[in-house]
Amino acid sequence: MDKDGLLKSIAQAVVDMEEERAAELCGRSLQEGVPAKEALYRGLIPGMDEVSRLYAESEYFVPEVLSASDAMYAGLEVLKPHIETERGEKAVKVVIGVVKGDTHDIGKNIVKMMMETSGAEMFDLGRDVAVERFVEKAEEVGAQVIAMSTLMSTTLVGMKTLVEMLVGRGLRPKYKVMVGGGPVSPEFCRRIGADLYAKDAAEAVKVLKAECGLAR
Amino acid sequence: MKKDAMTPLERAAALAAGGEVDRLPVNPNIANGVARIYGCKISEFNTDPKAQAEAQVAAYRKFGYDSVRIFTDLFPWAEAMGAEVVKPDDDTADLARPAVGDVKDIDRLVPADPYKGGRLAVQLEAMDRLVDRVGGEVPCSGSLAGPFTNAFFLYGVNEALRLFKKNPDAMRKLCRVSLETCKAYAAATIAKGLGVTISEPMSSCTVVSPATFREYSLPCLKELVDFIKGKGKVPVIHICGDTTEIWDDIADLGVGGFSVDNVVDLKKCCRAIGGRTKMLGNVDPSTVMYAGTPADVRRKTLECILAAYDSPKGYVVMSGCSLPVESPQENVAAMMDAVRDVGYPVKPGKVEGMLRELGAGD
């Protein structure tokens, strides 16, 4: 297989959700002298971009996106030791997490993964995260965006509390607050005084790009 | 808040017979928020059947809505099969650890016996008390997490999502054993004299494709619905999120009603399947009921009524999903009063006039 063919196969392995194949092909690309960065940016990431497109067009759903991202990460694990980290200082820093009371993090994980592959630097607080933790982490790493998600209508109040906390501490202008997840709507976003809303992971990346620009 | 001329049971019977009623049926779907009205902690529902039933009674007495149900969260069934659940002092429970962590342990799962202690037994006891207290005036039901949804909690949501690709047989097994638990609980609920409602959020097209739904969830749902009908009750089903592509499948199940999420186009849904099943929905529980004003609630309630009042198999005004616990009680009252002010039969011109009176809103 020539280099272009190999890179295409890597992308296809991600789209086909083939974890082992993605890892194997990434290994082969290294053996054949393809720079790891090229395998990432011309193989794995175009694969994930295609997955995002399929998801946006309702051809792929959550299980497919999750399995495809597993394949992407399997390939990334192989490439990682060979990628020199020269992450641009300019990369947008995003603190992300699922608000307190909710332990469902599949949606958040997909958003995180897609933002990461688009060049943002992600700080993942996980699930069931207290509002203070979002603020502390954002201050600590000098983030520009705080992104919160929830699946359960019962935990929405945490999003409102975060905005109020930022205002109370005089930190509001420093951050864009992004909200999303099942029970969240653009109207809800506006009402609680958050800045950005996205209906799904693909849109979240679009909104982030439009608002902050991204490194890639 | 205004008073009603009929009890919910009288209203339901009259509607079924095509007779005169005072208003459309309505169910704000207060969920664990009933604890705030009754004055207990949500965690009391985990162990105290009296608190569970009395909180339902208190909320019903306060607002006069058209059905009461025993339901606290989606996880008691998985818990009874070995999952661990976090139970906050005064908030809704959540899954902490699934029942099995390895595919090879799936064969060891056994269906839950709802009478055998734990939260399922508490719920069954609460049903007795509920029927005893208000069964003569308002329809009572027990809710359960559907077979497909419960299967995710047995194996962990993220891990179960991977099974469709990695091990479809394992997912089928999880659905089967889950179905047996659902049947046992439904049978126990019906034996207590209550109706059954099924919550099936993971079946939503927001989560899985229609093809995945049809392959894994639908056969189990069909079996469960037939089982319940065989015992003389016709279940109502609720699916969160978008369901547009599976409306026909749901109608074909022969359910007594379909409760839709607020992301669904209610009018389109009525046109598509309203001739085959009753429609329930779909005021936004978060933006409108939790974060909105009473005027917002009134406007949205009126819009839903306009969209669905003439649905051939009937319409129940409802929230699109369980309300957040801290939803203001005045918003619940606003939904009730909007329905009372509209009256019955619904005159669309009058509802439009009421909407104009409210103005455009913000």
Side-chain angles (χ1 to χ4, degrees), chain B residues 108-227:
Chain B
R108 280 192 228 154
L109 285 171
V110 287
D113 176 352
Y115 295 100
K116 221 176 124 192
R119 291 203 294 157
L120 295 184
V122 172
Q123 289 177 182
L124 290 180
E125 234 185 291
M127 288 178 193
D128 279 332
R129 193 177 180 98
L130 186 68
V131 170
D132 201 43
R133 295 275 275 118
V134 293
E137 52 184 295
V138 57
C140 302
S141 70
S143 232
L144 56 84
F148 186 66
T149 292
N150 186 54
F152 279 85
F153 304 149
L154 295 176
Y155 196 63
V157 173
N158 293 4
E159 284 311 307
L161 285 165
R162 294 181 161 100
L163 287 179
F164 298 110
K165 172 77 184 164
K166 281 189 178 159
N167 196 338
D169 276 342
M171 192 62 198
R172 276 185 205 104
K173 273 186 196 168
L174 286 167
C175 289
R176 291 306 307 179
V177 71
S178 186
L179 170 62
E180 292 311 314
T181 295
C182 292
K183 279 184 180 171
Y185 188 78
T189 305
I190 294 164
K192 301 276 185 199
L194 288 85
V196 180
T197 65
I198 303 167
S199 291
E200 208 16 300
M202 296 305 283
S203 284
S204 159
C205 311
T206 305
V207 182
V208 300
S209 67
T212 302
F213 166 74
R214 284 175 196 130
E215 186 175 348
Y216 296 87
S217 179
L218 188 60
C220 294
L221 267 180
K222 174 86 187 132
E223 202 173 318
L224 179 61
V225 169
D226 288 347
F227 176 84

Side-chain angles (χ1 to χ4, degrees), chain A residues 86-100:
Chain A
E86 48 166 71
R87 201 152 223 153
E89 286 293 304
K90 294 174 296 181
V92 178
K93 290 179 179 173
V94 181
V95 169
I96 192 168
V98 176
V99 294
K100 183 110 199 123

Side-chain angles (χ1 to χ4, degrees), chain B residues 191-359:
Chain B
K192 301 276 185 199
L194 288 85
V196 180
T197 65
I198 303 167
S199 291
E200 208 16 300
M202 296 305 283
S203 284
S204 159
C205 311
T206 305
V207 182
V208 300
S209 67
T212 302
F213 166 74
R214 284 175 196 130
E215 186 175 348
Y216 296 87
S217 179
L218 188 60
C220 294
L221 267 180
K222 174 86 187 132
E223 202 173 318
L224 179 61
V225 169
D226 288 347
F227 176 84
I228 292 167
K229 286 163 95 172
K231 298 204 171 290
K233 298 282 183 186
V234 188
V236 167
I237 187 167
H238 173 73
I239 301 180
C240 301
D242 182 29
T243 45
T244 310
E245 296 298 319
I246 58 171
W247 287 345
D248 275 321
D249 303 275
I250 293 159
D252 287 344
L253 284 170
V255 287
F258 178 39
S259 145
V260 294
D261 191 291
N262 45 284
V263 302
V264 162
D265 184 331
L266 184 60
K267 189 161 195 160
K268 254 171 80 179
C269 190
C270 291
R271 284 206 185 120
I273 60 168
R276 286 186 277 165
T277 193
K278 187 163 70 186
M279 299 302 308
L280 304 89
N282 63 349
V283 179
D284 185 332
S286 44
T287 307
V288 177
M289 295 300 288
Y290 164 68
T293 63
D296 296 329
V297 173
R298 185 174 177 88
R299 180 178 307 111
K300 195 64 214 171
T301 302
L302 295 174
E303 284 169 7
C304 284
I305 291 172
L306 271 183
Y309 76 95
D310 55 353
S311 199
K313 288 275 186 178
Y315 170 60
V316 179
V317 179
M318 195 165 169
S319 301
C321 200
S322 292
L323 295 190
V325 170
E326 313 299 347
S327 301
Q329 292 182 25
E330 50 273 29
N331 284 356
V332 175
M335 178 186 269
M336 298 302 304
D337 279 345
V339 175
R340 289 178 180 126
D341 290 343
V342 168
Y344 196 90
V346 176
K347 296 188 185 81
K350 177 181 170 189
V351 181
E352 279 158 10
M354 290 165 71
L355 270 169
R356 274 196 299 277
E357 246 167 64
L358 273 170

